[in-house]
Amino acid sequence: MNLHHWWLAIRPKTLPAAACPVVVGAACAISDHRFAALMFAAALAGALLIQISVNLANDYFDFLNHIDTPDRKGPKRMTQSGLIPPETVRNAFILTMLAALGLGAFLIIKGGVVILYIVIASLLGVVCYSAGPFPIASNGLGEVFVFIFFGPVAVLGTYYLMAGSVTPSVFIASVPVGLLVTAIIVVNNLRDIETDAGAGKRTLAVILGPWRTKVEFVFLVLFSFLIPCLMFASGRWSWSILLPLAVFWKSYPVFKTVFEQDGEILNQALADTAKLALMFSALFAVGIVIG
């Protein structure tokens, strides 16, 4: 067991999923002259801790529930492979949860009862995503959970921390971010269809099958890029909201990989989708601030 193993355990390629909505929420606050640097830093740190907690919990509980096996096609899991003892991963998961709770307490003091609800829901989601009598990820609800928490909840929550209220414009801005982050988990579940089905884990990909899951992935990405166009067409946003279209071409090789390949090669598609989400969100945030 070494630091490299822990680096793999936190799954760094998934961390953009936590950063994207916070960045967009902060951009909306800047646009409305409500930005607060301390709130942004705390929200970003809290989001990253929650993402790491989810990853560690998933590593531990999927091993415990015999979902992770030596046949899985994804990156090596630390608990299943024996590189980190199960109880150590469990303890790390608990510690990151406690750290997230500590930051959450600070945010609750600043943001009030609305942030309390968000913190409670987020921490419960960390556990319920992979554990409990009805694990979210094992019952076809993983994509819904990811969209809600990494789209509207995270973007609106970040904005609310700084502004004390929310607007319809911020909600609209949260949708493409949530869709692109959801696309990341879709690739993950597409890759794992065979092993998940064999372990009795009914992800949405297992329910839909490979072809429909690939169509779902394309829909999520295309609709993400369509939304800035619709925002511009409404006349309420300036041309700068179209900045994310500059990276649309990067979606083509990901589509090609998703439709033509399977197995371990989809690990690269997952990483590329996370990069696409991060680049989209960064340009989207700049477009919101300029506009």
Side-chain angles (χ1 to χ4, degrees), residues 157-213:
T158 300
Y159 182 86
Y160 184 87
L161 271 171
M162 303 179 194
S165 62
V166 295
T167 68
S169 297
V170 181
F171 175 78
I172 293 170
S174 75
V175 174
V177 182
L179 292 175
L180 271 178
V181 174
T182 303
I184 299 172
I185 197 70
V186 170
V187 179
N188 181 83
N189 291 344
L190 174 64
R191 180 199 64 206
D192 294 341
I193 279 181
E194 291 183 12
T195 52
D196 284 345
K201 183 176 181 179
R202 286 179 56 77
T203 63
L204 186 58
V206 170
I207 295 168
L208 294 177
W211 176 254
R212 290 187 181 90
T213 301

Short mmCIF file of all heavy atoms in Angstrom, two decimals, residues 157-213:
data_model
loop_
_atom_site.label_atom_id
_atom_site.label_comp_id
_atom_site.label_asym_id
_atom_site.label_seq_id
_atom_site.Cartn_x
_atom_site.Cartn_y
_atom_site.Cartn_z
N GLY A 157 -26.92 25.37 -5.46
CA GLY A 157 -26.40 25.47 -4.09
C GLY A 157 -25.22 26.41 -3.99
O GLY A 157 -25.13 27.21 -3.05
N THR A 158 -24.31 26.34 -4.96
CA THR A 158 -23.15 27.24 -4.98
C THR A 158 -23.60 28.70 -5.11
O THR A 158 -23.12 29.58 -4.39
CB THR A 158 -22.21 26.87 -6.14
OG1 THR A 158 -21.75 25.53 -5.98
CG2 THR A 158 -21.01 27.81 -6.17
N TYR A 159 -24.52 28.92 -6.03
CA TYR A 159 -25.03 30.28 -6.24
C TYR A 159 -25.75 30.79 -4.99
O TYR A 159 -25.56 31.95 -4.58
CB TYR A 159 -25.97 30.30 -7.44
CG TYR A 159 -26.51 31.67 -7.77
CD1 TYR A 159 -25.79 32.54 -8.59
CD2 TYR A 159 -27.74 32.10 -7.27
CE1 TYR A 159 -26.29 33.80 -8.90
CE2 TYR A 159 -28.24 33.36 -7.58
CZ TYR A 159 -27.51 34.20 -8.39
OH TYR A 159 -27.99 35.45 -8.68
N TYR A 160 -26.56 29.93 -4.39
CA TYR A 160 -27.34 30.33 -3.20
C TYR A 160 -26.41 30.72 -2.05
O TYR A 160 -26.73 31.65 -1.30
CB TYR A 160 -28.25 29.18 -2.77
CG TYR A 160 -29.17 29.54 -1.62
CD1 TYR A 160 -30.41 30.12 -1.86
CD2 TYR A 160 -28.79 29.30 -0.30
CE1 TYR A 160 -31.24 30.47 -0.80
CE2 TYR A 160 -29.62 29.63 0.76
CZ TYR A 160 -30.84 30.22 0.51
OH TYR A 160 -31.66 30.55 1.56
N LEU A 161 -25.30 30.02 -1.91
CA LEU A 161 -24.34 30.36 -0.85
C LEU A 161 -23.89 31.81 -0.95
O LEU A 161 -23.64 32.48 0.06
CB LEU A 161 -23.12 29.45 -0.94
CG LEU A 161 -23.16 28.14 -0.17
CD1 LEU A 161 -21.95 27.29 -0.54
CD2 LEU A 161 -23.18 28.39 1.33
N MET A 162 -23.77 32.30 -2.16
CA MET A 162 -23.25 33.65 -2.36
C MET A 162 -24.35 34.70 -2.47
O MET A 162 -24.18 35.83 -2.01
CB MET A 162 -22.39 33.67 -3.63
CG MET A 162 -21.25 32.67 -3.62
SD MET A 162 -20.28 32.69 -5.14
CE MET A 162 -19.36 31.15 -4.97
N ALA A 163 -25.47 34.32 -3.07
CA ALA A 163 -26.53 35.30 -3.35
C ALA A 163 -27.69 35.25 -2.37
O ALA A 163 -28.44 36.21 -2.25
CB ALA A 163 -27.05 35.10 -4.78
N GLY A 164 -27.86 34.11 -1.68
CA GLY A 164 -28.98 33.99 -0.75
C GLY A 164 -30.31 33.74 -1.42
O GLY A 164 -31.37 33.77 -0.77
N SER A 165 -30.29 33.49 -2.74
CA SER A 165 -31.50 33.20 -3.50
C SER A 165 -31.07 32.52 -4.79
O SER A 165 -29.87 32.38 -5.07
CB SER A 165 -32.27 34.49 -3.81
OG SER A 165 -31.48 35.35 -4.62
N VAL A 166 -32.06 32.08 -5.58
CA VAL A 166 -31.74 31.48 -6.88
C VAL A 166 -32.65 32.11 -7.94
O VAL A 166 -33.67 32.71 -7.61
CB VAL A 166 -31.92 29.95 -6.88
CG1 VAL A 166 -30.92 29.30 -5.95
CG2 VAL A 166 -33.34 29.56 -6.50
N THR A 167 -32.26 31.96 -9.20
CA THR A 167 -33.04 32.52 -10.30
C THR A 167 -33.24 31.44 -11.37
O THR A 167 -32.47 30.48 -11.44
CB THR A 167 -32.31 33.72 -10.94
OG1 THR A 167 -31.12 33.24 -11.60
CG2 THR A 167 -31.93 34.75 -9.89
N PRO A 168 -34.25 31.61 -12.22
CA PRO A 168 -34.45 30.65 -13.31
C PRO A 168 -33.23 30.54 -14.22
O PRO A 168 -32.93 29.45 -14.73
CB PRO A 168 -35.65 31.23 -14.07
CG PRO A 168 -36.40 32.03 -13.05
CD PRO A 168 -35.34 32.61 -12.16
N SER A 169 -32.50 31.63 -14.42
CA SER A 169 -31.32 31.60 -15.28
C SER A 169 -30.25 30.66 -14.75
O SER A 169 -29.58 29.95 -15.51
CB SER A 169 -30.73 33.01 -15.42
OG SER A 169 -31.65 33.87 -16.05
N VAL A 170 -30.08 30.64 -13.43
CA VAL A 170 -29.09 29.75 -12.82
C VAL A 170 -29.51 28.29 -12.99
O VAL A 170 -28.69 27.42 -13.26
CB VAL A 170 -28.89 30.10 -11.33
CG1 VAL A 170 -27.83 29.19 -10.71
CG2 VAL A 170 -28.47 31.55 -11.18
N PHE A 171 -30.81 28.05 -12.86
CA PHE A 171 -31.30 26.68 -13.07
C PHE A 171 -31.02 26.23 -14.50
O PHE A 171 -30.55 25.10 -14.73
CB PHE A 171 -32.79 26.58 -12.78
CG PHE A 171 -33.37 25.22 -13.10
CD1 PHE A 171 -33.17 24.16 -12.24
CD2 PHE A 171 -34.06 25.01 -14.28
CE1 PHE A 171 -33.66 22.89 -12.56
CE2 PHE A 171 -34.57 23.77 -14.60
CZ PHE A 171 -34.36 22.70 -13.74
N ILE A 172 -31.30 27.08 -15.47
CA ILE A 172 -31.04 26.74 -16.87
C ILE A 172 -29.56 26.44 -17.07
O ILE A 172 -29.19 25.48 -17.75
CB ILE A 172 -31.50 27.88 -17.79
CG1 ILE A 172 -33.03 28.01 -17.74
CG2 ILE A 172 -31.03 27.65 -19.22
CD1 ILE A 172 -33.55 29.27 -18.42
N ALA A 173 -28.70 27.25 -16.46
CA ALA A 173 -27.25 27.05 -16.59
C ALA A 173 -26.80 25.73 -15.98
O ALA A 173 -25.77 25.17 -16.36
CB ALA A 173 -26.50 28.21 -15.95
N SER A 174 -27.57 25.21 -15.02
CA SER A 174 -27.18 23.97 -14.35
C SER A 174 -27.44 22.72 -15.19
O SER A 174 -26.83 21.68 -14.98
CB SER A 174 -27.95 23.83 -13.02
OG SER A 174 -29.30 23.47 -13.24
N VAL A 175 -28.36 22.84 -16.15
CA VAL A 175 -28.80 21.65 -16.89
C VAL A 175 -27.70 21.05 -17.77
O VAL A 175 -27.44 19.84 -17.69
CB VAL A 175 -30.07 21.96 -17.71
CG1 VAL A 175 -30.44 20.77 -18.59
CG2 VAL A 175 -31.22 22.31 -16.78
N PRO A 176 -27.02 21.83 -18.65
CA PRO A 176 -26.00 21.19 -19.48
C PRO A 176 -24.85 20.60 -18.67
O PRO A 176 -24.28 19.57 -19.05
CB PRO A 176 -25.51 22.33 -20.39
CG PRO A 176 -25.89 23.58 -19.68
CD PRO A 176 -27.15 23.27 -18.95
N VAL A 177 -24.51 21.23 -17.56
CA VAL A 177 -23.45 20.69 -16.70
C VAL A 177 -23.87 19.33 -16.15
O VAL A 177 -23.11 18.36 -16.19
CB VAL A 177 -23.13 21.66 -15.55
CG1 VAL A 177 -22.00 21.11 -14.70
CG2 VAL A 177 -22.76 23.03 -16.09
N GLY A 178 -25.09 19.26 -15.63
CA GLY A 178 -25.59 18.00 -15.10
C GLY A 178 -25.64 16.91 -16.15
O GLY A 178 -25.31 15.74 -15.88
N LEU A 179 -26.03 17.27 -17.37
CA LEU A 179 -26.12 16.28 -18.45
C LEU A 179 -24.74 15.73 -18.81
O LEU A 179 -24.58 14.52 -19.02
CB LEU A 179 -26.77 16.90 -19.69
CG LEU A 179 -28.25 17.27 -19.56
CD1 LEU A 179 -28.72 17.99 -20.83
CD2 LEU A 179 -29.10 16.04 -19.30
N LEU A 180 -23.74 16.60 -18.90
CA LEU A 180 -22.39 16.14 -19.27
C LEU A 180 -21.76 15.29 -18.18
O LEU A 180 -21.08 14.30 -18.46
CB LEU A 180 -21.49 17.34 -19.59
CG LEU A 180 -21.50 17.80 -21.05
CD1 LEU A 180 -20.60 19.02 -21.22
CD2 LEU A 180 -21.06 16.69 -21.99
N VAL A 181 -21.97 15.67 -16.93
CA VAL A 181 -21.45 14.84 -15.83
C VAL A 181 -22.16 13.49 -15.82
O VAL A 181 -21.54 12.45 -15.57
CB VAL A 181 -21.60 15.57 -14.48
CG1 VAL A 181 -21.20 14.65 -13.33
CG2 VAL A 181 -20.75 16.83 -14.44
N THR A 182 -23.44 13.48 -16.12
CA THR A 182 -24.18 12.22 -16.20
C THR A 182 -23.61 11.35 -17.31
O THR A 182 -23.55 10.11 -17.19
CB THR A 182 -25.67 12.48 -16.46
OG1 THR A 182 -26.18 13.32 -15.42
CG2 THR A 182 -26.46 11.18 -16.49
N ALA A 183 -23.17 11.97 -18.40
CA ALA A 183 -22.58 11.21 -19.51
C ALA A 183 -21.35 10.43 -19.05
O ALA A 183 -21.06 9.35 -19.60
CB ALA A 183 -22.22 12.15 -20.66
N ILE A 184 -20.64 10.95 -18.06
CA ILE A 184 -19.46 10.24 -17.54
C ILE A 184 -19.87 8.91 -16.94
O ILE A 184 -19.27 7.86 -17.21
CB ILE A 184 -18.73 11.10 -16.49
CG1 ILE A 184 -18.23 12.41 -17.11
CG2 ILE A 184 -17.56 10.32 -15.88
CD1 ILE A 184 -17.67 13.40 -16.08
N ILE A 185 -20.92 8.92 -16.11
CA ILE A 185 -21.36 7.68 -15.46
C ILE A 185 -21.98 6.73 -16.47
O ILE A 185 -21.93 5.51 -16.30
CB ILE A 185 -22.33 8.00 -14.30
CG1 ILE A 185 -22.46 6.78 -13.36
CG2 ILE A 185 -23.70 8.40 -14.78
CD1 ILE A 185 -21.24 6.50 -12.55
N VAL A 186 -22.55 7.27 -17.55
CA VAL A 186 -23.12 6.41 -18.59
C VAL A 186 -22.01 5.58 -19.25
O VAL A 186 -22.18 4.38 -19.47
CB VAL A 186 -23.87 7.24 -19.64
CG1 VAL A 186 -24.25 6.38 -20.85
CG2 VAL A 186 -25.14 7.84 -19.03
N VAL A 187 -20.87 6.21 -19.56
CA VAL A 187 -19.74 5.47 -20.14
C VAL A 187 -19.24 4.41 -19.16
O VAL A 187 -18.96 3.27 -19.52
CB VAL A 187 -18.59 6.41 -20.53
CG1 VAL A 187 -17.41 5.61 -21.09
CG2 VAL A 187 -19.04 7.44 -21.54
N ASN A 188 -19.15 4.79 -17.90
CA ASN A 188 -18.72 3.86 -16.86
C ASN A 188 -19.62 2.63 -16.82
O ASN A 188 -19.16 1.48 -16.78
CB ASN A 188 -18.73 4.56 -15.51
CG ASN A 188 -18.27 3.67 -14.37
OD1 ASN A 188 -17.09 3.51 -14.12
ND2 ASN A 188 -19.22 3.06 -13.66
N ASN A 189 -20.93 2.85 -16.84
CA ASN A 189 -21.88 1.74 -16.76
C ASN A 189 -21.95 0.93 -18.06
O ASN A 189 -22.20 -0.28 -18.02
CB ASN A 189 -23.27 2.28 -16.40
CG ASN A 189 -23.33 2.80 -14.98
OD1 ASN A 189 -22.47 2.51 -14.16
ND2 ASN A 189 -24.34 3.60 -14.68
N LEU A 190 -21.72 1.59 -19.19
CA LEU A 190 -21.65 0.88 -20.47
C LEU A 190 -20.49 -0.11 -20.45
O LEU A 190 -20.64 -1.27 -20.86
CB LEU A 190 -21.48 1.89 -21.61
CG LEU A 190 -21.25 1.31 -23.00
CD1 LEU A 190 -22.46 0.51 -23.48
CD2 LEU A 190 -20.92 2.42 -24.00
N ARG A 191 -19.35 0.35 -19.99
CA ARG A 191 -18.17 -0.52 -19.91
C ARG A 191 -18.42 -1.74 -19.03
O ARG A 191 -17.95 -2.84 -19.31
CB ARG A 191 -16.99 0.29 -19.34
CG ARG A 191 -15.69 -0.46 -19.18
CD ARG A 191 -14.79 0.27 -18.21
NE ARG A 191 -15.38 0.31 -16.87
CZ ARG A 191 -15.13 1.24 -15.96
NH1 ARG A 191 -14.29 2.24 -16.25
NH2 ARG A 191 -15.69 1.20 -14.78
N ASP A 192 -19.18 -1.54 -17.95
CA ASP A 192 -19.34 -2.60 -16.95
C ASP A 192 -20.62 -3.42 -17.11
O ASP A 192 -21.01 -4.14 -16.18
CB ASP A 192 -19.33 -1.98 -15.54
CG ASP A 192 -17.98 -1.37 -15.18
OD1 ASP A 192 -16.98 -1.74 -15.83
OD2 ASP A 192 -17.92 -0.53 -14.27
N ILE A 193 -21.30 -3.31 -18.24
CA ILE A 193 -22.59 -4.00 -18.40
C ILE A 193 -22.49 -5.49 -18.08
O ILE A 193 -23.29 -6.03 -17.31
CB ILE A 193 -23.14 -3.81 -19.84
CG1 ILE A 193 -23.82 -2.44 -19.96
CG2 ILE A 193 -24.17 -4.88 -20.17
CD1 ILE A 193 -24.42 -2.17 -21.33
N GLU A 194 -21.53 -6.17 -18.65
CA GLU A 194 -21.44 -7.63 -18.49
C GLU A 194 -21.17 -8.02 -17.05
O GLU A 194 -21.84 -8.89 -16.49
CB GLU A 194 -20.36 -8.20 -19.40
CG GLU A 194 -20.70 -8.14 -20.88
CD GLU A 194 -19.64 -8.79 -21.74
OE1 GLU A 194 -18.76 -9.47 -21.19
OE2 GLU A 194 -19.68 -8.60 -22.97
N THR A 195 -20.18 -7.38 -16.43
CA THR A 195 -19.82 -7.75 -15.06
C THR A 195 -20.90 -7.31 -14.06
O THR A 195 -21.18 -8.02 -13.10
CB THR A 195 -18.46 -7.14 -14.66
OG1 THR A 195 -18.47 -5.73 -14.93
CG2 THR A 195 -17.33 -7.80 -15.45
N ASP A 196 -21.52 -6.15 -14.30
CA ASP A 196 -22.60 -5.69 -13.42
C ASP A 196 -23.79 -6.64 -13.50
O ASP A 196 -24.39 -7.01 -12.48
CB ASP A 196 -23.03 -4.27 -13.78
CG ASP A 196 -22.06 -3.21 -13.29
OD1 ASP A 196 -21.21 -3.55 -12.45
OD2 ASP A 196 -22.14 -2.06 -13.77
N ALA A 197 -24.16 -7.02 -14.72
CA ALA A 197 -25.29 -7.93 -14.90
C ALA A 197 -25.02 -9.27 -14.23
O ALA A 197 -25.89 -9.85 -13.58
CB ALA A 197 -25.58 -8.14 -16.39
N GLY A 198 -23.78 -9.74 -14.36
CA GLY A 198 -23.42 -11.01 -13.73
C GLY A 198 -23.45 -10.96 -12.22
O GLY A 198 -23.70 -11.98 -11.56
N ALA A 199 -23.21 -9.77 -11.66
CA ALA A 199 -23.22 -9.61 -10.20
C ALA A 199 -24.58 -9.21 -9.67
O ALA A 199 -24.74 -9.01 -8.46
CB ALA A 199 -22.18 -8.57 -9.79
N GLY A 200 -25.57 -9.06 -10.56
CA GLY A 200 -26.91 -8.68 -10.12
C GLY A 200 -27.08 -7.19 -9.90
O GLY A 200 -28.06 -6.76 -9.29
N LYS A 201 -26.14 -6.39 -10.42
CA LYS A 201 -26.22 -4.94 -10.28
C LYS A 201 -26.96 -4.38 -11.49
O LYS A 201 -26.45 -4.40 -12.61
CB LYS A 201 -24.81 -4.33 -10.20
CG LYS A 201 -24.79 -2.81 -10.00
CD LYS A 201 -23.36 -2.31 -9.84
CE LYS A 201 -23.33 -0.80 -9.61
NZ LYS A 201 -21.94 -0.30 -9.42
N ARG A 202 -28.18 -3.90 -11.29
CA ARG A 202 -29.03 -3.46 -12.39
C ARG A 202 -28.88 -1.94 -12.60
O ARG A 202 -29.73 -1.15 -12.17
CB ARG A 202 -30.49 -3.84 -12.14
CG ARG A 202 -30.75 -5.32 -12.34
CD ARG A 202 -32.19 -5.68 -12.05
NE ARG A 202 -33.15 -4.91 -12.84
CZ ARG A 202 -33.43 -5.14 -14.13
NH1 ARG A 202 -32.79 -6.11 -14.77
NH2 ARG A 202 -34.33 -4.42 -14.76
N THR A 203 -27.78 -1.57 -13.23
CA THR A 203 -27.63 -0.17 -13.62
C THR A 203 -28.58 0.11 -14.77
O THR A 203 -29.14 -0.80 -15.38
CB THR A 203 -26.18 0.11 -14.07
OG1 THR A 203 -25.90 -0.68 -15.24
CG2 THR A 203 -25.17 -0.24 -12.97
N LEU A 204 -28.74 1.39 -15.10
CA LEU A 204 -29.60 1.74 -16.23
C LEU A 204 -29.05 1.13 -17.52
O LEU A 204 -29.80 0.73 -18.40
CB LEU A 204 -29.70 3.26 -16.36
CG LEU A 204 -30.69 3.78 -17.41
CD1 LEU A 204 -32.10 3.26 -17.14
CD2 LEU A 204 -30.67 5.31 -17.45
N ALA A 205 -27.72 1.04 -17.62
CA ALA A 205 -27.10 0.43 -18.80
C ALA A 205 -27.48 -1.04 -18.92
O ALA A 205 -27.73 -1.54 -20.01
CB ALA A 205 -25.59 0.59 -18.74
N VAL A 206 -27.51 -1.75 -17.81
CA VAL A 206 -27.92 -3.16 -17.81
C VAL A 206 -29.38 -3.27 -18.25
O VAL A 206 -29.75 -4.15 -19.03
CB VAL A 206 -27.72 -3.79 -16.42
CG1 VAL A 206 -28.36 -5.18 -16.35
CG2 VAL A 206 -26.23 -3.88 -16.09
N ILE A 207 -30.21 -2.36 -17.77
CA ILE A 207 -31.64 -2.38 -18.11
C ILE A 207 -31.86 -2.05 -19.58
O ILE A 207 -32.64 -2.72 -20.27
CB ILE A 207 -32.42 -1.39 -17.22
CG1 ILE A 207 -32.36 -1.84 -15.75
CG2 ILE A 207 -33.87 -1.26 -17.67
CD1 ILE A 207 -32.85 -0.80 -14.76
N LEU A 208 -31.16 -1.02 -20.09
CA LEU A 208 -31.35 -0.58 -21.47
C LEU A 208 -30.64 -1.47 -22.48
O LEU A 208 -31.10 -1.61 -23.62
CB LEU A 208 -30.86 0.86 -21.63
CG LEU A 208 -31.62 1.95 -20.88
CD1 LEU A 208 -30.94 3.30 -21.11
CD2 LEU A 208 -33.08 2.01 -21.32
N GLY A 209 -29.49 -2.02 -22.09
CA GLY A 209 -28.68 -2.76 -23.04
C GLY A 209 -27.66 -1.84 -23.70
O GLY A 209 -27.78 -0.61 -23.65
N PRO A 210 -26.64 -2.41 -24.35
CA PRO A 210 -25.54 -1.60 -24.91
C PRO A 210 -25.98 -0.56 -25.92
O PRO A 210 -25.56 0.60 -25.85
CB PRO A 210 -24.63 -2.65 -25.57
CG PRO A 210 -24.94 -3.93 -24.87
CD PRO A 210 -26.39 -3.86 -24.52
N TRP A 211 -26.81 -0.93 -26.91
CA TRP A 211 -27.16 0.00 -27.97
C TRP A 211 -27.91 1.22 -27.44
O TRP A 211 -27.57 2.37 -27.76
CB TRP A 211 -27.99 -0.71 -29.05
CG TRP A 211 -28.47 0.23 -30.12
CD1 TRP A 211 -29.74 0.70 -30.30
CD2 TRP A 211 -27.68 0.86 -31.14
NE1 TRP A 211 -29.79 1.56 -31.38
CE2 TRP A 211 -28.54 1.69 -31.91
CE3 TRP A 211 -26.33 0.80 -31.46
CZ2 TRP A 211 -28.08 2.43 -32.98
CZ3 TRP A 211 -25.87 1.55 -32.54
CH2 TRP A 211 -26.74 2.35 -33.28
N ARG A 212 -28.93 1.00 -26.64
CA ARG A 212 -29.71 2.12 -26.11
C ARG A 212 -28.86 2.99 -25.18
O ARG A 212 -29.06 4.21 -25.10
CB ARG A 212 -30.94 1.60 -25.38
CG ARG A 212 -32.00 0.99 -26.29
CD ARG A 212 -33.27 0.65 -25.51
NE ARG A 212 -34.27 0.04 -26.36
CZ ARG A 212 -34.40 -1.26 -26.56
NH1 ARG A 212 -33.55 -2.10 -25.97
NH2 ARG A 212 -35.34 -1.74 -27.34
N THR A 213 -27.92 2.37 -24.48
CA THR A 213 -27.03 3.14 -23.60
C THR A 213 -26.14 4.05 -24.42
O THR A 213 -25.88 5.20 -24.03
CB THR A 213 -26.19 2.19 -22.74
OG1 THR A 213 -27.05 1.36 -21.96
CG2 THR A 213 -25.26 2.97 -21.81
#
